[in-house]
mmCIF file of all heavy atoms in Angstrom:
data_model
loop_
_atom_site.group_PDB
_atom_site.id
_atom_site.type_symbol
_atom_site.label_atom_id
_atom_site.label_comp_id
_atom_site.label_asym_id
_atom_site.label_seq_id
_atom_site.Cartn_x
_atom_site.Cartn_y
_atom_site.Cartn_z
ATOM 1 N N TRP M 6 12.067 -8.520 20.453
ATOM 2 C CA TRP M 6 10.606 -8.512 20.490
ATOM 3 C C TRP M 6 10.025 -7.408 19.615
ATOM 4 O O TRP M 6 9.026 -7.625 18.921
ATOM 5 C CB TRP M 6 10.132 -8.370 21.944
ATOM 6 C CG TRP M 6 10.163 -9.699 22.656
ATOM 7 C CD1 TRP M 6 11.241 -10.311 23.207
ATOM 8 C CD2 TRP M 6 9.050 -10.573 22.841
ATOM 9 N NE1 TRP M 6 10.887 -11.525 23.737
ATOM 10 C CE2 TRP M 6 9.545 -11.709 23.540
ATOM 11 C CE3 TRP M 6 7.698 -10.522 22.522
ATOM 12 C CZ2 TRP M 6 8.724 -12.779 23.896
ATOM 13 C CZ3 TRP M 6 6.875 -11.581 22.882
ATOM 14 C CH2 TRP M 6 7.379 -12.689 23.559
ATOM 15 N N PHE M 7 10.650 -6.237 19.629
ATOM 16 C CA PHE M 7 10.159 -5.166 18.766
ATOM 17 C C PHE M 7 10.292 -5.556 17.304
ATOM 18 O O PHE M 7 9.395 -5.295 16.495
ATOM 19 C CB PHE M 7 10.925 -3.870 19.021
ATOM 20 C CG PHE M 7 10.514 -2.753 18.093
ATOM 21 C CD1 PHE M 7 9.330 -2.062 18.305
ATOM 22 C CD2 PHE M 7 11.293 -2.409 16.994
ATOM 23 C CE1 PHE M 7 8.934 -1.045 17.433
ATOM 24 C CE2 PHE M 7 10.911 -1.404 16.125
ATOM 25 C CZ PHE M 7 9.729 -0.719 16.353
ATOM 26 N N GLY M 8 11.396 -6.215 16.937
ATOM 27 C CA GLY M 8 11.590 -6.633 15.551
ATOM 28 C C GLY M 8 10.518 -7.586 15.085
ATOM 29 O O GLY M 8 9.996 -7.475 13.966
ATOM 30 N N ALA M 9 10.155 -8.543 15.938
ATOM 31 C CA ALA M 9 9.112 -9.504 15.585
ATOM 32 C C ALA M 9 7.755 -8.818 15.451
ATOM 33 O O ALA M 9 7.013 -9.050 14.479
ATOM 34 C CB ALA M 9 9.046 -10.612 16.632
ATOM 35 N N ILE M 10 7.415 -7.965 16.425
ATOM 36 C CA ILE M 10 6.125 -7.259 16.392
ATOM 37 C C ILE M 10 6.062 -6.319 15.192
ATOM 38 O O ILE M 10 5.029 -6.230 14.500
ATOM 39 C CB ILE M 10 5.915 -6.484 17.708
ATOM 40 C CG1 ILE M 10 5.761 -7.473 18.872
ATOM 41 C CG2 ILE M 10 4.706 -5.572 17.617
ATOM 42 C CD1 ILE M 10 5.789 -6.811 20.236
ATOM 43 N N TYR M 11 7.152 -5.621 14.939
ATOM 44 C CA TYR M 11 7.206 -4.695 13.806
ATOM 45 C C TYR M 11 6.922 -5.419 12.499
ATOM 46 O O TYR M 11 6.055 -4.998 11.708
ATOM 47 C CB TYR M 11 8.578 -4.032 13.767
ATOM 48 C CG TYR M 11 8.853 -3.273 12.487
ATOM 49 C CD1 TYR M 11 8.465 -1.949 12.351
ATOM 50 C CD2 TYR M 11 9.501 -3.888 11.410
ATOM 51 C CE1 TYR M 11 8.710 -1.245 11.181
ATOM 52 C CE2 TYR M 11 9.752 -3.188 10.236
ATOM 53 C CZ TYR M 11 9.356 -1.877 10.133
ATOM 54 O OH TYR M 11 9.596 -1.204 8.960
ATOM 55 N N ASP M 12 7.651 -6.500 12.231
ATOM 56 C CA ASP M 12 7.483 -7.213 10.957
ATOM 57 C C ASP M 12 6.088 -7.793 10.804
ATOM 58 O O ASP M 12 5.520 -7.789 9.704
ATOM 59 C CB ASP M 12 8.518 -8.341 10.852
ATOM 60 C CG ASP M 12 9.908 -7.828 10.486
ATOM 61 O OD1 ASP M 12 10.004 -6.745 9.894
ATOM 62 O OD2 ASP M 12 10.893 -8.514 10.797
ATOM 63 N N LEU M 13 5.515 -8.293 11.885
ATOM 64 C CA LEU M 13 4.192 -8.918 11.807
ATOM 65 C C LEU M 13 3.085 -7.911 11.537
ATOM 66 O O LEU M 13 2.138 -8.195 10.798
ATOM 67 C CB LEU M 13 3.891 -9.671 13.106
ATOM 68 C CG LEU M 13 4.609 -11.003 13.310
ATOM 69 C CD1 LEU M 13 4.379 -11.511 14.724
ATOM 70 C CD2 LEU M 13 4.137 -12.046 12.297
ATOM 71 N N PHE M 14 3.192 -6.725 12.114
ATOM 72 C CA PHE M 14 2.065 -5.786 12.073
ATOM 73 C C PHE M 14 2.252 -4.592 11.143
ATOM 74 O O PHE M 14 1.273 -3.943 10.787
ATOM 75 C CB PHE M 14 1.767 -5.282 13.494
ATOM 76 C CG PHE M 14 1.198 -6.346 14.393
ATOM 77 C CD1 PHE M 14 2.015 -6.993 15.300
ATOM 78 C CD2 PHE M 14 -0.136 -6.717 14.301
ATOM 79 C CE1 PHE M 14 1.506 -7.984 16.124
ATOM 80 C CE2 PHE M 14 -0.651 -7.707 15.113
ATOM 81 C CZ PHE M 14 0.169 -8.352 16.033
ATOM 82 N N ILE M 15 3.489 -4.298 10.728
ATOM 83 C CA ILE M 15 3.695 -3.091 9.930
ATOM 84 C C ILE M 15 2.926 -3.092 8.607
ATOM 85 O O ILE M 15 2.402 -2.040 8.199
ATOM 86 C CB ILE M 15 5.208 -2.836 9.691
ATOM 87 C CG1 ILE M 15 5.443 -1.359 9.319
ATOM 88 C CG2 ILE M 15 5.778 -3.765 8.632
ATOM 89 C CD1 ILE M 15 5.125 -0.400 10.430
ATOM 90 N N PRO M 16 2.785 -4.228 7.891
ATOM 91 C CA PRO M 16 2.005 -4.155 6.647
ATOM 92 C C PRO M 16 0.546 -3.815 6.887
ATOM 93 O O PRO M 16 -0.066 -3.084 6.093
ATOM 94 C CB PRO M 16 2.178 -5.555 6.035
ATOM 95 C CG PRO M 16 2.591 -6.431 7.165
ATOM 96 C CD PRO M 16 3.364 -5.563 8.086
ATOM 97 N N PHE M 17 -0.035 -4.315 7.993
ATOM 98 C CA PHE M 17 -1.425 -3.993 8.307
ATOM 99 C C PHE M 17 -1.569 -2.506 8.648
ATOM 100 O O PHE M 17 -2.546 -1.860 8.257
ATOM 101 C CB PHE M 17 -1.909 -4.841 9.490
ATOM 102 C CG PHE M 17 -1.928 -6.315 9.212
ATOM 103 C CD1 PHE M 17 -0.908 -7.130 9.668
ATOM 104 C CD2 PHE M 17 -2.970 -6.886 8.493
ATOM 105 C CE1 PHE M 17 -0.918 -8.492 9.416
ATOM 106 C CE2 PHE M 17 -2.998 -8.251 8.233
ATOM 107 C CZ PHE M 17 -1.967 -9.062 8.692
ATOM 108 N N LEU M 18 -0.599 -1.968 9.370
ATOM 109 C CA LEU M 18 -0.647 -0.559 9.760
ATOM 110 C C LEU M 18 -0.437 0.362 8.561
ATOM 111 O O LEU M 18 -0.987 1.470 8.523
ATOM 112 C CB LEU M 18 0.418 -0.285 10.821
ATOM 113 C CG LEU M 18 0.242 -1.046 12.145
ATOM 114 C CD1 LEU M 18 1.420 -0.781 13.072
ATOM 115 C CD2 LEU M 18 -1.065 -0.665 12.818
ATOM 116 N N LEU M 19 0.336 -0.087 7.584
ATOM 117 C CA LEU M 19 0.545 0.716 6.375
ATOM 118 C C LEU M 19 -0.691 0.733 5.489
ATOM 119 O O LEU M 19 -0.979 1.725 4.806
ATOM 120 C CB LEU M 19 1.741 0.178 5.589
ATOM 121 C CG LEU M 19 3.125 0.475 6.182
ATOM 122 C CD1 LEU M 19 4.193 -0.359 5.478
ATOM 123 C CD2 LEU M 19 3.458 1.959 6.076
ATOM 124 N N ILE M 20 -1.433 -0.354 5.494
ATOM 125 C CA ILE M 20 -2.648 -0.431 4.681
ATOM 126 C C ILE M 20 -3.727 0.500 5.228
ATOM 127 O O ILE M 20 -4.474 1.123 4.482
ATOM 128 C CB ILE M 20 -3.160 -1.886 4.632
ATOM 129 C CG1 ILE M 20 -2.208 -2.750 3.799
ATOM 130 C CG2 ILE M 20 -4.566 -1.948 4.049
ATOM 131 C CD1 ILE M 20 -2.531 -4.223 3.851
ATOM 132 N N ASN M 21 -3.798 0.608 6.562
ATOM 133 C CA ASN M 21 -4.826 1.405 7.220
ATOM 134 C C ASN M 21 -4.485 2.897 7.128
ATOM 135 O O ASN M 21 -3.422 3.337 7.564
ATOM 136 C CB ASN M 21 -4.943 0.979 8.690
ATOM 137 C CG ASN M 21 -6.164 1.582 9.363
ATOM 138 O OD1 ASN M 21 -6.474 2.761 9.210
ATOM 139 N ND2 ASN M 21 -6.872 0.761 10.123
ATOM 140 N N LYS M 22 -5.382 3.669 6.572
ATOM 141 C CA LYS M 22 -5.148 5.098 6.378
ATOM 142 C C LYS M 22 -4.901 5.821 7.692
ATOM 143 O O LYS M 22 -4.065 6.729 7.775
ATOM 144 C CB LYS M 22 -6.349 5.718 5.655
ATOM 145 C CG LYS M 22 -6.189 7.195 5.347
ATOM 146 C CD LYS M 22 -7.413 7.737 4.605
ATOM 147 C CE LYS M 22 -7.247 9.227 4.308
ATOM 148 N NZ LYS M 22 -8.427 9.764 3.574
ATOM 149 N N LYS M 23 -5.591 5.398 8.768
ATOM 150 C CA LYS M 23 -5.481 6.084 10.052
ATOM 151 C C LYS M 23 -4.119 5.871 10.720
ATOM 152 O O LYS M 23 -3.672 6.709 11.496
ATOM 153 C CB LYS M 23 -6.596 5.613 10.990
ATOM 154 C CG LYS M 23 -7.990 5.994 10.525
ATOM 155 C CD LYS M 23 -9.048 5.497 11.499
ATOM 156 C CE LYS M 23 -10.453 5.879 11.041
ATOM 157 N NZ LYS M 23 -11.495 5.391 11.982
ATOM 158 N N THR M 24 -3.495 4.747 10.435
ATOM 159 C CA THR M 24 -2.220 4.430 11.095
ATOM 160 C C THR M 24 -1.029 4.549 10.149
ATOM 161 O O THR M 24 0.096 4.255 10.539
ATOM 162 C CB THR M 24 -2.263 3.003 11.670
ATOM 163 O OG1 THR M 24 -2.565 2.069 10.614
ATOM 164 C CG2 THR M 24 -3.311 2.885 12.760
ATOM 165 N N ARG M 25 -1.264 4.973 8.920
ATOM 166 C CA ARG M 25 -0.212 4.946 7.892
ATOM 167 C C ARG M 25 0.961 5.878 8.236
ATOM 168 O O ARG M 25 2.123 5.491 8.089
ATOM 169 C CB ARG M 25 -0.809 5.324 6.540
ATOM 170 C CG ARG M 25 0.183 5.202 5.381
ATOM 171 C CD ARG M 25 -0.550 5.406 4.076
ATOM 172 N NE ARG M 25 -1.554 4.374 3.871
ATOM 173 C CZ ARG M 25 -2.763 4.594 3.359
ATOM 174 N NH1 ARG M 25 -3.131 5.826 3.032
ATOM 175 N NH2 ARG M 25 -3.608 3.595 3.195
ATOM 176 N N ILE M 26 0.678 7.088 8.666
ATOM 177 C CA ILE M 26 1.755 8.049 8.941
ATOM 178 C C ILE M 26 2.656 7.567 10.079
ATOM 179 O O ILE M 26 3.888 7.509 9.913
ATOM 180 C CB ILE M 26 1.191 9.455 9.248
ATOM 181 C CG1 ILE M 26 0.426 9.996 8.032
ATOM 182 C CG2 ILE M 26 2.321 10.399 9.635
ATOM 183 C CD1 ILE M 26 1.274 10.166 6.798
ATOM 184 N N PRO M 27 2.104 7.217 11.251
ATOM 185 C CA PRO M 27 2.991 6.705 12.304
ATOM 186 C C PRO M 27 3.670 5.396 11.908
ATOM 187 O O PRO M 27 4.808 5.143 12.314
ATOM 188 C CB PRO M 27 2.063 6.508 13.506
ATOM 189 C CG PRO M 27 0.680 6.506 12.952
ATOM 190 C CD PRO M 27 0.720 7.359 11.750
ATOM 191 N N ALA M 28 3.006 4.579 11.094
ATOM 192 C CA ALA M 28 3.615 3.326 10.636
ATOM 193 C C ALA M 28 4.816 3.607 9.743
ATOM 194 O O ALA M 28 5.858 2.950 9.866
ATOM 195 C CB ALA M 28 2.582 2.481 9.891
ATOM 196 N N PHE M 29 4.671 4.586 8.852
ATOM 197 C CA PHE M 29 5.801 4.909 7.977
ATOM 198 C C PHE M 29 6.947 5.528 8.774
ATOM 199 O O PHE M 29 8.123 5.293 8.461
ATOM 200 C CB PHE M 29 5.367 5.866 6.868
ATOM 201 C CG PHE M 29 6.443 6.125 5.858
ATOM 202 C CD1 PHE M 29 6.868 5.134 4.996
ATOM 203 C CD2 PHE M 29 7.037 7.380 5.771
ATOM 204 C CE1 PHE M 29 7.878 5.366 4.067
ATOM 205 C CE2 PHE M 29 8.037 7.624 4.848
ATOM 206 C CZ PHE M 29 8.462 6.609 3.994
ATOM 207 N N ALA M 30 6.614 6.300 9.806
ATOM 208 C CA ALA M 30 7.657 6.829 10.687
ATOM 209 C C ALA M 30 8.407 5.677 11.346
ATOM 210 O O ALA M 30 9.637 5.712 11.480
ATOM 211 C CB ALA M 30 7.036 7.740 11.745
ATOM 212 N N ALA M 31 7.664 4.641 11.744
ATOM 213 C CA ALA M 31 8.294 3.449 12.330
ATOM 214 C C ALA M 31 9.172 2.740 11.309
ATOM 215 O O ALA M 31 10.242 2.223 11.646
ATOM 216 C CB ALA M 31 7.218 2.503 12.861
ATOM 217 N N VAL M 32 8.725 2.709 10.055
ATOM 218 C CA VAL M 32 9.523 2.115 8.985
ATOM 219 C C VAL M 32 10.871 2.827 8.872
ATOM 220 O O VAL M 32 11.926 2.188 8.791
ATOM 221 C CB VAL M 32 8.768 2.186 7.631
ATOM 222 C CG1 VAL M 32 9.708 1.836 6.475
ATOM 223 C CG2 VAL M 32 7.579 1.225 7.638
ATOM 224 N N ILE M 33 10.832 4.148 8.876
ATOM 225 C CA ILE M 33 12.071 4.928 8.751
ATOM 226 C C ILE M 33 12.987 4.672 9.938
ATOM 227 O O ILE M 33 14.184 4.383 9.774
ATOM 228 C CB ILE M 33 11.749 6.424 8.622
ATOM 229 C CG1 ILE M 33 10.995 6.701 7.319
ATOM 230 C CG2 ILE M 33 13.037 7.253 8.687
ATOM 231 C CD1 ILE M 33 10.512 8.126 7.180
ATOM 232 N N VAL M 34 12.444 4.775 11.145
ATOM 233 C CA VAL M 34 13.253 4.582 12.355
ATOM 234 C C VAL M 34 13.844 3.178 12.390
ATOM 235 O O VAL M 34 15.044 2.998 12.653
ATOM 236 C CB VAL M 34 12.410 4.844 13.620
ATOM 237 C CG1 VAL M 34 13.196 4.446 14.877
ATOM 238 C CG2 VAL M 34 12.008 6.309 13.698
ATOM 239 N N PHE M 35 13.018 2.181 12.109
ATOM 240 C CA PHE M 35 13.457 0.788 12.171
ATOM 241 C C PHE M 35 14.580 0.519 11.182
ATOM 242 O O PHE M 35 15.628 -0.047 11.535
ATOM 243 C CB PHE M 35 12.278 -0.143 11.888
ATOM 244 C CG PHE M 35 12.635 -1.604 11.896
ATOM 245 C CD1 PHE M 35 12.685 -2.319 13.078
ATOM 246 C CD2 PHE M 35 12.923 -2.269 10.711
ATOM 247 C CE1 PHE M 35 13.016 -3.669 13.091
ATOM 248 C CE2 PHE M 35 13.257 -3.610 10.698
ATOM 249 C CZ PHE M 35 13.302 -4.310 11.895
ATOM 250 N N HIS M 36 14.392 0.928 9.934
ATOM 251 C CA HIS M 36 15.376 0.601 8.905
ATOM 252 C C HIS M 36 16.638 1.448 9.010
ATOM 253 O O HIS M 36 17.740 0.952 8.716
ATOM 254 C CB HIS M 36 14.746 0.729 7.526
ATOM 255 C CG HIS M 36 13.810 -0.397 7.205
ATOM 256 N ND1 HIS M 36 14.232 -1.701 7.096
ATOM 257 C CD2 HIS M 36 12.473 -0.406 6.977
ATOM 258 C CE1 HIS M 36 13.201 -2.472 6.811
ATOM 259 N NE2 HIS M 36 12.120 -1.716 6.737
ATOM 260 N N VAL M 37 16.513 2.697 9.428
ATOM 261 C CA VAL M 37 17.717 3.511 9.638
ATOM 262 C C VAL M 37 18.533 2.946 10.796
ATOM 263 O O VAL M 37 19.769 2.893 10.743
ATOM 264 C CB VAL M 37 17.345 4.981 9.893
ATOM 265 C CG1 VAL M 37 18.564 5.776 10.375
ATOM 266 C CG2 VAL M 37 16.782 5.615 8.631
ATOM 267 N N MET M 38 17.844 2.490 11.842
ATOM 268 C CA MET M 38 18.542 1.907 12.983
ATOM 269 C C MET M 38 19.267 0.619 12.581
ATOM 270 O O MET M 38 20.430 0.413 12.957
ATOM 271 C CB MET M 38 17.539 1.604 14.103
ATOM 272 C CG MET M 38 18.179 1.017 15.364
ATOM 273 S SD MET M 38 19.277 2.184 16.205
ATOM 274 C CE MET M 38 18.081 3.324 16.905
#
């Protein structure tokens, strides 16, 4: 479920300046995992 939610919403969160930093942290955690 996290994988599906992550892929669907991460591009929107990266575009938004307010959510970009935590979104990129999620990118790192997700892909390293």
Side-chain angles (χ1 to χ4, degrees):
W6 279 81
F7 176 77
I10 294 170
Y11 168 87
D12 283 336
L13 285 171
F14 291 100
I15 200 66
F17 296 100
L18 297 175
L19 286 168
I20 290 172
N21 191 316
K22 182 179 180 179
K23 295 180 180 180
T24 57
R25 185 172 297 140
I26 298 298
F29 186 69
V32 168
I33 295 174
V34 172
F35 179 84
H36 286 296
V37 169
M38 181 66 72

